[in-house]
Amino acid sequence: MAPAPFGSYTPCKGPTLNDHETTHFLKEIRKPCGNRACDDGQTHHCLRDAPLWTSYAATSCRRSEVLGWKWSLIHWDECAIELAWVVVEEGNTYRLRKLTKDGDDNAIIYVDEALMNVLKWQKERQDAERERLGDLWVDHDLVFARDGFKLYRGEAGGPQDPEKVSARWRTARNRLHLPENFRLHDWRASKITNDLDNHENPVEVSANARHHSPGYTMARYGRRRAEGAKKLAASSASRLGLSSLV
């Protein structure tokens, strides 16, 4: 079956991709782009960034949070990722700092083993890059560290420039014909909306989004879902014995 067109919309928010569209994206993003500079993803960013884009699509993390993931804070056995650092823009520069948003420092999110396998592949690729660069690599324990592509001022191993990450995202977005205004942050809205659409527990959805309450999550992302409303009505009618009245 042909994939659905990219770019469904949720009222009052930017574009979102549904689960089917996201599945299609995750398959396509692992294919080399095929342009003149592409070497099947060995050094070209089209496949080097695939684990990064996958991490945004599979979690409800913000751009700054994923760029701040650290290897030492990934709990492999528990399939959990501790969020303690972010990479933030400050004027014309950027820096790695402790996560302090909303007082939610050292939050923990839980992910599927499939994403852990993607991160293991990222670790293998990064280890090979570290060995290739030798002393030029300055380790910061970052999962998505700056690599040696167009190496400048010994920055390999350090945090990535968030704006350059967004620029590479725009290239990937255009290549895969996503909505032209679909930002990295819109993966967050997509994940939360799709979880709610699939009747996942709002408490868990809210916790993984690091919202201060499920009520906030529902107020911001919730909307009437006819299937769920009908199920609620049928359940209520059954409990009240309405069928016996007619």
Side-chain angles (χ1 to χ4, degrees):
M1 182 174 63
F6 283 120
S8 58
Y9 281 76
T10 301
C12 301
K13 292 192 286 289
T16 60
L17 301 188
N18 62 32
D19 283 339
H20 182 73
E21 294 165 334
T22 301
T23 298
H24 178 63
F25 167 81
L26 291 175
K27 290 180 179 178
E28 293 299 309
I29 201 62
R30 298 180 67 83
K31 297 179 181 178
C33 68
N35 71 18
R36 289 184 302 171
C38 184
D39 54 1
D40 291 333
Q42 297 303 309
T43 59
H44 193 244
H45 61 72
C46 65
L47 289 194
R48 289 187 303 117
D49 283 335
L52 179 59
W53 307 147
T54 300
S55 295
Y56 284 115
T59 72
S60 50
C61 287
R62 302 170 178 89
R63 181 184 68 173
S64 60
E65 292 168 345
V66 175
L67 294 180
W69 286 2
K70 290 200 172 191
W71 292 117
S72 59
L73 297 178
I74 293 181
H75 307 292
W76 301 98
D77 293 340
E78 293 82 14
C79 288
I81 301 173
E82 189 173 342
L83 307 179
W85 296 85
V86 289
V87 178
V88 296
E89 294 179 280
E90 293 184 344
N92 295 324
T93 186
Y94 58 94
R95 70 183 179 97
L96 177 69
R97 68 161 174 79
K98 288 285 290 183
L99 171 64
T100 57
K101 184 176 178 63
D102 299 328
D104 190 20
D105 53 332
N106 289 66
I108 292 180
I109 63 169
Y110 293 90
V111 301
D112 187 78
E113 187 175 352
L115 181 59
M116 287 299 194
N117 289 334
V118 171
L119 296 182
K120 288 177 182 177
W121 183 87
Q122 168 68 7
K123 185 70 165 60
E124 292 173 359
R125 191 198 70 82
Q126 189 181 93
D127 286 346
E129 182 74 349
R130 182 189 292 109
E131 183 176 355
R132 183 180 73 85
L133 293 174
D135 292 341
L136 294 177
W137 182 278
V138 180
D139 192 58
H140 288 70
D141 192 36
L142 291 169
V143 175
F144 296 108
R146 174 82 156 83
D147 62 18
F149 183 67
K150 294 185 177 180
L151 187 62
Y152 179 62
R153 292 190 303 183
E155 294 174 342
Q160 296 198 59
D161 182 341
E163 181 47 44
K164 289 184 178 179
V165 170
S166 289
R168 298 202 306 273
W169 165 249
R170 290 190 287 271
T171 298
R173 177 191 66 195
N174 295 339
R175 172 164 64 92
L176 295 182
H177 308 292
L178 271 66
E180 64 180 11
N181 57 339
F182 190 91
R183 308 160 300 164
L184 278 176
H185 192 73
D186 291 323
W187 280 122
R188 176 175 171 83
S190 297
K191 176 69 165 57
I192 297 171
T193 299
N194 293 336
D195 285 343
L196 293 175
D197 278 348
N198 283 278
H199 313 296
E200 302 294 353
N201 185 343
V203 174
E204 297 299 339
V205 175
S206 180
N208 247 29
R210 280 89 57 224
H211 288 157
H212 56 75
S213 72
Y216 175 86
T217 303
M218 295 305 296
R220 185 171 178 83
Y221 294 94
R223 54 185 169 85
R224 291 302 300 274
R225 293 158 172 83
E227 181 183 348
K230 291 176 182 178
K231 182 178 179 181
L232 172 63
S235 177
S236 297
S238 176
R239 295 197 313 271
L240 297 174
L242 287 182
S243 60
S244 65
L245 302 180
V246 294

